[in-house]
Amino acid sequence: MDITSPKAEAYIGKYTSEEDSLLKEIAEYTEANHPKAHMLSGRLQGKFLEMVSFMIRPERILEIGTFTGYSALCLAKGLQPNGVLHTIELRESDAATAKGFFQRSFFKDNIILHIGDALKVIGELDEMFDLVFIDADKTNYMNYFNLVLPKVRQNGFIFADNVLFHGQVLTEEIKGKNAKAIQAFNDFVLSCNDVEKVMLPLRDGLLLMRKL
């Protein structure tokens, strides 16, 4: 299911700044070589993440789900000069791809790439984060949220991607474990009094939360 019409997407894209050359290369490489290229954040969402990161000016960012590195580099653009972005990727092949792009970026000394189970890695991080981006396996979204919330400073932000899950959460009968997990996560956040939240129909749905 298309969340927005192709005509609207084209119009929005026309009035959105172009990505830089490295991000464009990542997008083109992923599209040409990765069987799950649709998982890439892409120009519209990437530019949004970049803009919000510049607004927040975070010192510490956590990204759960690196993929090929596109969104991490978008988020890193708003980092304080001494800031650090931790990003976690389970798949070694995707992590290797992302690392190659990170090493060519301006932020190569600001990004720490962790390879492994995010639930384990998060538990080992002794950090307080200004911004967290959740974009990994959907069945663990609630676990990721509960793990990171104590590690987010007051008035810090958590973003969750794919919260409309290809429009499947909009159907009368939600099928599939991922769609069901996303619906359970959305309902859980709705009932959570520890965060303010707003859901945006950007790409596949983006849920923004501010810790109270």
Side-chain angles (χ1 to χ4, degrees):
M1 179 185 295
D2 290 328
I3 305 304
T4 57
S5 72
K7 186 175 182 179
E9 288 282 346
Y11 187 88
I12 292 166
K14 177 180 177 180
Y15 292 97
T16 299
S17 297
E18 292 295 329
E19 60 208 339
D20 65 37
S21 59
L22 183 57
L23 289 174
K24 187 175 180 62
E25 183 180 341
I26 296 172
E28 291 176 348
Y29 174 87
T30 305
E31 182 65 33
N33 296 282
H34 204 292
K36 295 184 178 180
H38 66 277
M39 293 168 53
L40 189 87
S41 286
R43 181 165 67 95
L44 295 180
Q45 181 173 294
K47 187 60 67 173
F48 177 82
L49 295 175
E50 175 187 328
M51 291 279 195
V52 172
S53 186
F54 269 111
M55 293 176 195
I56 298 170
R57 299 297 294 171
E59 290 188 2
R60 291 292 184 273
I61 299 175
L62 172 62
E63 178 185 56
I64 306 170
T66 313
F67 196 44
T68 53
Y70 190 101
S71 54
L73 288 175
C74 292
L75 289 165
K77 292 191 177 189
L79 276 172
Q80 296 282 355
N82 62 339
V84 174
L85 183 150
H86 293 269
T87 183
I88 308 169
E89 177 54 50
L90 178 64
R91 300 177 185 86
E92 292 188 8
S93 59
D94 288 341
T97 299
K99 184 177 180 179
F101 288 122
F102 292 161
Q103 289 299 313
R104 294 170 50 200
S105 78
F106 177 81
F107 305 101
K108 62 181 180 180
D109 296 326
N110 302 90
I111 297 176
I112 300 174
L113 174 60
H114 304 267
I115 305 173
D117 183 347
L119 294 174
K120 183 174 184 294
V121 174
I122 294 167
E124 295 172 349
L125 291 175
D126 185 20
E127 296 270 16
M128 288 297 293
F129 294 101
D130 306 295
L131 174 58
V132 175
F133 183 42
I134 301 174
D135 189 19
D137 54 311
K138 311 312 167 191
T139 55
N140 269 314
Y141 264 36
M142 204 177 303
N143 293 326
Y144 296 143
F145 176 85
N146 287 326
L147 269 179
V148 300
L149 187 61
K151 296 176 180 285
V152 175
R153 65 167 175 80
Q154 185 179 13
N155 291 316
F157 293 88
I158 302 173
F159 297 171
D161 197 12
N162 303 111
V163 291
L164 294 176
F165 203 72
H166 317 305
Q168 293 179 29
V169 297
L170 306 178
T171 60
E172 289 187 10
E173 183 182 357
I174 300 173
K175 300 178 180 180
K177 67 176 183 178
N178 288 323
K180 289 179 178 178
I182 288 294
Q183 183 61 52
F185 171 74
N186 291 343
D187 287 337
F188 175 77
V189 172
L190 179 64
S191 68
C192 180
N193 296 321
D194 296 329
V195 295
E196 283 199 327
K197 66 283 279 186
V198 59
M199 186 179 289
L200 304 177
L202 177 63
R203 185 173 169 264
D204 193 29
L206 191 63
L207 182 58
L208 279 59
M209 296 158 273
R210 179 175 65 89
K211 184 177 177 179
L212 300 175

